[in-house]
Amino acid sequence: MAFTGRLGTPNSRFADIVFAAVDGFGPAAPDFQAHQLTSRRFRVLFNLQVTDSALVAGSYVLVSLASPGSAFVPQISSVTWYDETHDSVVVELDAPLTTGTQYSVTVTSVEGTSGDFVLGATKNFTANVVDPPRARGAFLSKRGYVDVLFDRPVGPYSSSASFSIADAAGGPSVPMTQAAWGPEGIPETTLRLQIPPAVPAADAFVISTSGVKDESVNLSSEQVPLTLVLRSPAPYSYADLTQLQVLDAYVTDVSSDFLRTANIRVFLSCPVQDPDSRGSWSMFAQGAHRRVDDQDALTAPAATDLPSLVALLNDLKGSLNSHLVIDQVHFGPAAADLVTAPDAFDLPSSVDLANALIASVPSHLTRPRVHSYPDTVNRAVLQPVPPDDLLAAVAAANSLATSYSGHILEEYPLSFSDAYQLPIGSITAYAEEVPADSAMDVEGPHTYYVDLRAVLDVEGPAVRVEATLTSEDGGSSCSPSDYTGNIVARSADHPLTVTSHLVSVDSGVDLRTDRGLSLSSERPLVVVGDDGLEIPTSSDVLATLPTVLWAYNNALEAYRQHIFPGAAGHQVDDDVNIVTNSDYAFLPLSSSIASANDVRQKVMAHMASAIYHYHADPTAVTAPPATDLESFVALVADLAQVLASHLVRVGPHAFAGYRMVSAPVYDVVRLSTPLMRDGSPSRAAGTLSDFHVYNGLPVVPAPSVPAARSHLVVLDVPFRAMAVRPSLASALPQSGLSFDPVRGPKLEADAVQAFFSKPMREVPVTPSNLSLSGGSIQFIGSGWVSPVLASVAVTKMEHISYSVVASDMTDVAGNEVY
């Protein structure tokens, strides 16, 4: 770091004494200095107080003095006062300056409070702040490729960068080929690299980057771990890294009161062909028992006449009674449903036994605290058999046998639900890149996914999913016979699982989960540093794009069902504010935003109408129209909440409708802290509430208040912090000679002001950690003016160039100064 000491001018009031001064003293001509504060901010310091004309961005022109192509000139985005003295301003830039480059700033038409103008003056400064692009994470993307995410746009500027992959435990690096940026439409913050066939087998991998360049021509060279969620056993070979696999799965929500459908989200390691084909998938619900009852299966065949009816009913009675008391099958006593009616031997006794079983079997299947969940899938709802009705008794016995046999199985098949109208239908897939705009941007290992909707109305069962799929490039396939295409999805009432995390530089960490979220007050979430101390942290809940798209479509379908003719006790059917297939949300995001804004108007018009309702619903959609992802999430959350209450409200309606809204909106918790130490092992800790809606089993009337189901989940998620190290941004000489119009001249020691790019720990400043060299300058004292400004009193400062070096100093988070 260099600066030039400045001498007094002929205008100095002490003509025989020479001091360091800022280009003049007293009535000197209007002038200024410029120096850097951060990578995106520089300060213009005037030698006089100036008016608000100094806040006009057009008054400043910034140019680079470097050779063309070696530096970047950002645009000026705003100008604000530096402090209340109104003799300096901070110029904000829309991108970082190029480190090491000398810039020139020209100031025009800035008026001093005295009426003098700064007209066309030009000063130079050097960009000293080091702020290179940073790799936030690396994840498998399309088959055989890795996407590396950076904290800023690098794609259009990094064609000459180089990359390699190596065993994280050490060993030789293998070069990686960078895919041409642009043709695949990946974000500018992402670089896509091909996995080399020579990649070593390893439990974990690191990717080395070199020559990655941002728009500002700042270069980056660093290592980033490759985050893997593979289900094949480690060590991972090239075959594992390029094998199509089902990575993870969970039931996101169950709409049990009317639609009777569950949404099952399945993640894949790469894009696949035709993921929305029903023939590619099979689903099986886990049985409701503590362990499988493999002793009490029925042996009698289906009933067709009186003898076979007698045999089946007696077999069913004996098997059921044995099942009810078998050891370790149920979670609690089940003997309340024992059948005491005599065995069947003729038609009257068969009718009596059939009716006893009609009362007992359905009661047992849904009895609380006996099973892990109420078994409604296998439940048979039957009317009592009339006396002497052989056909009705045969039908009842066969139905009961089917119900019981399914109930004791380890799992039973689920069918696809057609409750949702096309284009949503029974499958929604974001697991392909063709056609365009159908794939999510890679922001973690959970990117490519398929939503399967099954007929299911209880929250408890885990669902096993089988997949027979082929990767989009045709080079790999998965099979239900092994881990590649066979997985058990976590049930809707399963406690929250953190599926991945993504660190932001100097900001904090986002934790992505498989459940809806709400913050808990029991133990606030914090970031814990590598020293075990808690770092001041704020937290908030956010939404991923996959989750908010489904939440919107789920709410939209609930609204569509609500205004269906004859639904929910309307006074008059609403045939104006209807929704159509085109209203459902899909990528690109812009189309979903347009749809949500349109539906917002329809919902508001519907609720406010005293024509369709017996009186208007005073509840309103308060979220404004959406313009981006953040406002889209806010609008969807508001729509879902408003609809959930409106659908069941009696008053506007003659009777309560079904609630139906069940999908969560928020599935990310953001822990924000600027106090991270770069590269330090850290933890996200505290208590978080997960959340899922249980609408109640199909009953008439519908439940007016849904039960909110939740768990308190203790988090302890390790991550590696990321931060920009502080730089000594600039140094300015400060004259000890000053003149007050009232008090007259004032003489103190000259000083050097050292500006840092981040708030620093205010340790004592000495020649050992802030050294000045050049000429005969001497260090005589120091102090901190603010966390970013240290002042060093000096003597013998001349009009020559000096060198300033900061060392053994850290910012408030502990990052060492460059």
Side-chain angles (χ1 to χ4, degrees), residues 42 68 131 153 196 230 262 335 418 444 532 594 605 609 711 734 736 770 801-802:
F42 67 89
D131 185 14
L230 298 180
D418 291 312
S609 172
H711 307 92
Q734 184 179 43
L770 190 67
S801 180
Y802 294 94

Side-chain angles (χ1 to χ4, degrees), residues 441-634:
D441 294 335
V442 177
E443 292 185 344
H446 291 67
T447 294
Y448 303 106
Y449 75 96
V450 177
D451 276 348
L452 310 173
R453 277 167 281 283
V455 177
L456 188 67
D457 58 12
V458 290
E459 58 186 341
V463 177
R464 187 172 65 85
V465 177
E466 292 184 353
T468 304
L469 297 163
T470 301
S471 62
E472 199 162 59
D473 67 353
S476 182
S477 60
C478 62
S479 171
S481 64
D482 58 30
Y483 67 88
T484 63
N486 198 319
I487 193 170
V488 176
R490 295 182 291 281
S491 61
D493 66 351
H494 189 281
L496 172 149
T497 297
V498 176
T499 58
S500 63
H501 69 267
L502 191 61
V503 180
S504 296
V505 180
D506 275 333
S507 297
V509 60
D510 290 352
L511 308 180
R512 181 174 178 177
T513 74
D514 61 351
R515 291 288 167 259
L517 300 178
S518 60
L519 297 176
S520 170
S521 60
E522 293 203 2
R523 183 184 166 202
L525 294 170
V526 295
V527 171
V528 180
D530 57 351
D531 55 5
L533 299 179
E534 294 184 0
I535 300 172
T537 308
S538 61
S539 54
D540 196 8
V541 291
L542 309 172
T544 58
L545 184 54
T547 294
V548 74
L549 287 177
W550 169 236
Y552 173 71
N553 289 331
N554 173 260
L556 186 73
E557 182 65 19
Y559 175 66
R560 191 190 72 82
Q561 297 281 357
H562 172 72
I563 63 172
F564 193 80
H570 286 105
Q571 181 172 238
V572 175
D573 290 335
D574 185 351
D575 58 359
V576 175
N577 300 297
I578 60 175
V579 295
T580 64
N581 291 356
S582 62
D583 290 309
Y584 289 96
F586 289 99
L587 294 181
L589 178 60
S590 57
S591 67
S592 295
I593 288 175
S595 167
N597 289 338
D598 182 53
V599 170
R600 172 182 177 272
Q601 293 299 113
K602 293 177 180 178
V603 170
M604 292 174 65
H606 171 79
M607 292 174 57
S609 172
I611 298 175
Y612 311 127
H613 302 99
Y614 291 91
H615 62 76
D617 189 334
T619 307
V621 179
T622 58
T627 57
D628 54 15
L629 177 57
E630 183 178 0
S631 55
F632 177 62
V633 171

Side-chain angles (χ1 to χ4, degrees), residues 168-242:
S173 296
V174 181
M176 304 180 77
T177 301
Q178 181 183 352
W181 187 87
E184 295 182 83
I186 60 176
E188 291 187 352
T189 54
T190 298
L191 296 178
R192 181 162 287 178
L193 315 174
Q194 188 169 11
I195 301 172
V199 64
D203 291 356
F205 298 90
V206 292
I207 294 175
S208 298
T209 71
S210 179
V212 174
K213 190 185 303 181
D214 64 10
E215 183 182 20
S216 301
V217 203
N218 289 311
L219 294 173
S220 168
S221 297
E222 59 181 326
Q223 282 191 339
V224 57
L226 174 59
T227 301
L228 296 173
V229 188
L230 298 180
R231 295 176 62 222
S232 49
Y236 307 117
S237 65
Y238 174 76
D240 296 308
L241 296 176
T242 56

Side-chain angles (χ1 to χ4, degrees), residues 81 84 86 107 151 203 363 367 447 488 533 623 641 674 722 738:
W81 293 116
E84 68 278 0
H86 286 203
V107 177
D151 67 338
D203 291 356
S363 172
R367 184 170 293 279
T447 294
V488 176
L533 299 179
Q641 183 177 13
M722 296 182 67
S738 60

Side-chain angles (χ1 to χ4, degrees), residues 6 39 78 226 392 607 650 693 727:
R6 299 184 182 237
S39 64
S78 66
L226 174 59
M607 292 174 57
V650 178
V693 170
S727 297

